[in-house]
């Protein structure tokens, strides 16, 4: 279905989209499963591969697309009549990607190898929509784990994930019995978080700092203003049983390794990939089989930083947000919401994820067990393959009113979750 252009405005080129129910093959759920007192509204749908999301204090929404839609990679949403649904849309930015954020009057957005920023005027219009500033360039993009997620602190720094284009840094990637490269050369330019100046121009690795290493792939990350530190969600490695059938059976492989939340307390932190993975059943880092591990011994992994919170394997944590609003009940204040995109390699067990989880925090640390906050995105209770999930949560953002926004990158849906006490 193509949008019908009804109105053109300066700078942002917003236009109204006429939706015809007969033109759509899927209908986004008007409600998803939420705790008592919470409700959801579908703000927009059929946007394309909606990845991360940013919400301006004015209420305007910006969504980054993982794949171009009609040649554009960023979608802007505006609700002009106050009914909670976007009725004016803009598309711009001729590059796909994942990262997007708003900070200090700028909209930041990433391709799979660059970071750009757009100056926002006092009227929340982009000053020069066709000429963004190039902030960072030349980051590794080899197809695998190439999304460049973003976070910004309050001291003028930009943090960018550079995922490792590899599963476990084997000599031959994803090949049975192939040993790991030691040291892993990938870590020189990938497999970690790089720090740059948010106002820099054309920065490369040479101007950046390798802020954290030993991270296979981080799609969800956020700056925690309470702790004044960066938190990240790591996608754990795959295929233990396939690659080393003499050490792991299919059930073990489905449950290993855990997905991990880390706090990066200072520059130079090392979280162990590819040499180590976290076994949630043992609550410890163990040596990877590519480096002589047997599924039990720790050896060089004994001193590697442990996660502050671990989750079941292969759920793909794609979004992380620390809630700082006042709309939600007190238990949610300063806690972490995580969008789990859903797994692909838990066979022979059902796939897991496809929901938004919540981790309560107190004094800057997890203070209780994690729980499912928003569910029902998959459209069915049992998922045997990710393609059968109707919606897959990916991005999270907080509105000025304290509402929570969630994107889905399977069908391009955006939900707004609000709370109103009974």
């Amino acid at each position: 279905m193509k949008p019908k252009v009804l109105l053109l405005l300066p700078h942002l080129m917003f236009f109204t989209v006429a939706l015809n129910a007969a033109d759509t093959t899927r209908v986004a759920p008007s409600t998803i499963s939420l705790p008592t007192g919470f409700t959801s509204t579908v703000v927009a749908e059929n946007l394309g591969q909606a990845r991360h999301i940013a919400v301006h204090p004015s209420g305007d929404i910006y969504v980054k697309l993982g794949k171009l839609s009609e040649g554009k990679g960023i979608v802007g949403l505006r609700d002009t009549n106050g009914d909670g649904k976007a009725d004016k849309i803009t598309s711009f930015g001729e590059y796909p990607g994942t990262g997007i954020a708003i900070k200090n009057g700028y909209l930041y957005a990433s391709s799979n190898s660059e970071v750009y920023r757009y100056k926002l005027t006092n009227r929340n219009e982009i000053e020069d929509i066709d000429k963004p500033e190039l902030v960072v360039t030349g980051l590794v993009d080899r197809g695998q784990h190439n999304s460049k997620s973003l976070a910004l602190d309050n001291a003028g720094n930009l943090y960018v994930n550079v995922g490792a284009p590899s599963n476990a840094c084997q000599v031959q990637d994803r090949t049975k019995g192939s040993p790991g490269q030691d040291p892993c050369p990938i870590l020189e330019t990938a497999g970690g978080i790089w720090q740059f100046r948010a106002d820099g121009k054309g920065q490369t690795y040479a101007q950046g700092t390798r802020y954290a290493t030993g991270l296979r792939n981080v799609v969800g990350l956020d700056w925690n203003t309470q702790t004044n530190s960066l938190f990240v969600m790591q996608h754990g490695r795959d295929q233990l049983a396939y690659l080393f059938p003499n050490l792991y059976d299919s059930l073990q492989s489905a449950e290993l390794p855990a997905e991990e939340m880390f706090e990066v307390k200072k520059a130079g932190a090392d979280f162990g990939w590819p040499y180590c993975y976290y076994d949630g059943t043992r609550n410890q880092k163990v040596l990877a089989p590519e480096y002589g591990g047997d599924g039990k011994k720790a050896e060089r992994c004994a001193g590697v930083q442990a996660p502050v919170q671990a989750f079941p394997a292969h759920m793909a944590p794609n979004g992380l947000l620390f809630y700082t609003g006042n709309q939600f009940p007190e238990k949610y204040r300063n806690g972490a919401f995580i969008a789990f995109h859903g797994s692909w390699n838990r066979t022979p067990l059902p796939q897991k994820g496809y929901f938004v989880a919540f981790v309560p925090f107190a004094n800057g640390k997890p203070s209780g067990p994690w729980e499912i906050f928003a569910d029902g995105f998959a459209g069915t209770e049992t998922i045997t393959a990710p393609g059968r999930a109707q919606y897959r949560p990916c991005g999270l953002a907080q509105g000025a009113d304290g509402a929570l926004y969630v994107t889905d990158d399977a069908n391009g849906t955006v939900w707004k979750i609000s709370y109103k006490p009974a």
Side-chain angles (χ1 to χ4, degrees), residues 27-288:
V27 178
S30 58
T31 59
I32 51 180
S33 175
L34 294 163
T36 301
F38 289 90
T39 59
S40 65
T41 301
V42 176
V43 176
E45 50 190 318
N46 301 315
L47 297 180
Q49 194 181 85
R51 298 286 283 174
H52 285 180
I53 180 173
V55 182
H56 189 270
S58 68
D60 285 351
I61 301 168
Y62 296 92
V63 180
K64 194 72 191 71
L65 301 183
K67 293 181 180 179
L68 296 181
S69 177
E70 299 188 351
K72 305 298 181 183
I74 304 174
V75 177
L77 307 174
R78 180 178 288 175
D79 173 14
T80 64
N81 58 16
D83 67 352
K85 299 181 182 296
D87 49 36
K88 289 187 177 178
I89 297 177
T90 182
S91 297
F92 59 98
E94 298 177 352
Y95 51 92
T98 291
I100 195 159
I102 295 173
K103 191 77 172 181
N104 297 333
Y106 284 90
L107 173 70
Y108 292 80
S110 68
S111 70
N112 291 327
S113 56
E114 283 86 29
V115 180
Y116 301 89
R117 73 174 186 171
Y118 300 80
K119 177 66 176 175
L120 296 169
T121 69
N122 291 335
R123 298 177 60 187
N124 189 32
E125 295 178 347
I126 294 177
E127 198 167 83
D128 195 338
I129 204 165
D130 295 319
K131 295 181 180 179
E133 298 177 18
L134 179 62
V135 180
V136 181
T137 188
L139 301 177
V140 167
D141 174 11
R142 297 192 183 123
Q144 186 178 180
H145 305 149
N146 63 348
S147 62
K148 302 299 181 287
S149 304
L150 309 175
L152 295 105
D153 64 18
N154 294 320
N157 296 307
L158 169 71
Y159 302 88
V160 186
N161 167 63
V162 185
S166 170
N167 178 42
C169 203
Q170 291 174 281
V171 174
Q172 293 180 285
D173 192 32
R174 299 179 187 270
T175 300
K176 288 184 177 181
S178 180
Q181 301 176 76
D182 195 0
C184 176
I186 291 173
L187 294 174
E188 292 301 313
T189 55
I193 306 295
W194 267 256
Q195 181 193 64
F196 300 93
R197 290 299 302 169
D199 60 356
K201 298 184 185 298
Q203 298 167 97
T204 65
Y205 284 107
Q207 289 78 48
T209 298
R210 188 170 61 176
Y211 195 73
T213 191
L215 294 165
R216 178 175 175 268
N217 188 35
V218 169
V219 185
L221 70 167
D222 194 22
W223 186 263
N224 186 321
T225 56
Q226 187 182 44
T227 62
N228 200 36
S229 60
L230 183 69
F231 281 74
V232 303
M233 298 296 308
Q234 173 167 246
H235 284 221
R237 50 104 25 97
D238 303 323
Q239 300 174 303
L240 284 167
Y242 170 75
L243 297 172
F244 295 91
N246 59 316
L247 296 175
Y248 304 89
D249 61 34
S250 59
L251 290 177
Q252 289 175 307
S253 189
E255 299 288 8
L256 294 173
E259 307 284 43
E260 298 169 89
M261 174 192 284
F262 294 113
E263 180 183 8
V264 187
K265 295 182 179 180
K266 61 181 180 179
D270 186 346
F271 298 98
W273 182 90
Y275 315 112
C276 315
Y277 68 84
Y278 190 75
D279 185 333
T281 65
R282 296 175 178 273
N283 296 320
Q284 71 175 88
K285 291 273 191 179
V286 298
L287 190 64

Side-chain angles (χ1 to χ4, degrees), residues 1 17-24 44-46 86:
M1 181 191 71
V17 177
L19 293 177
N20 185 330
D23 294 336
T24 61
E45 50 190 318
N46 301 315

Side-chain angles (χ1 to χ4, degrees), residues 53 103 150-154 218 220-233 260-265 307-309 311 318-339 356-367 395-400 402-405:
I53 180 173
K103 191 77 172 181
L150 309 175
L152 295 105
D153 64 18
N154 294 320
V218 169
L221 70 167
D222 194 22
W223 186 263
N224 186 321
T225 56
Q226 187 182 44
T227 62
N228 200 36
S229 60
L230 183 69
F231 281 74
V232 303
M233 298 296 308
E260 298 169 89
M261 174 192 284
F262 294 113
E263 180 183 8
V264 187
K265 295 182 179 180
V308 297
Q309 181 74 56
F311 302 86
N318 274 14
L320 174 64
L321 173 77
F322 284 94
Y323 185 77
T324 59
N326 295 316
Q327 184 187 124
F328 289 9
E330 181 66 30
K331 68 170 282 187
Y332 297 101
R333 309 281 167 80
N334 299 310
F337 287 102
I338 303 158
V356 176
F358 175 73
V359 181
F361 267 63
N363 301 316
K365 299 178 180 179
S367 58
L396 300 170
Q398 181 182 306
L404 178 69
Y405 291 80

Side-chain angles (χ1 to χ4, degrees), residues 336-410:
F337 287 102
I338 303 158
F340 284 99
H341 191 238
S343 56
W344 66 269
N345 62 333
R346 286 182 57 83
T347 305
L349 302 178
Q351 304 304 317
K352 277 189 177 182
Y354 315 100
F355 52 69
V356 176
F358 175 73
V359 181
F361 267 63
N363 301 316
K365 299 178 180 179
S367 58
W370 69 274
E371 62 190 56
I372 296 177
F373 172 76
D375 204 356
F377 296 97
T380 180
E381 290 187 5
T382 302
I383 298 293
T384 56
R388 298 183 180 181
Q390 191 169 10
Y391 304 98
R392 304 186 72 182
C394 183
L396 300 170
Q398 181 182 306
D401 62 352
L404 178 69
Y405 291 80
V406 183
T407 63
D408 139 65
D409 68 2

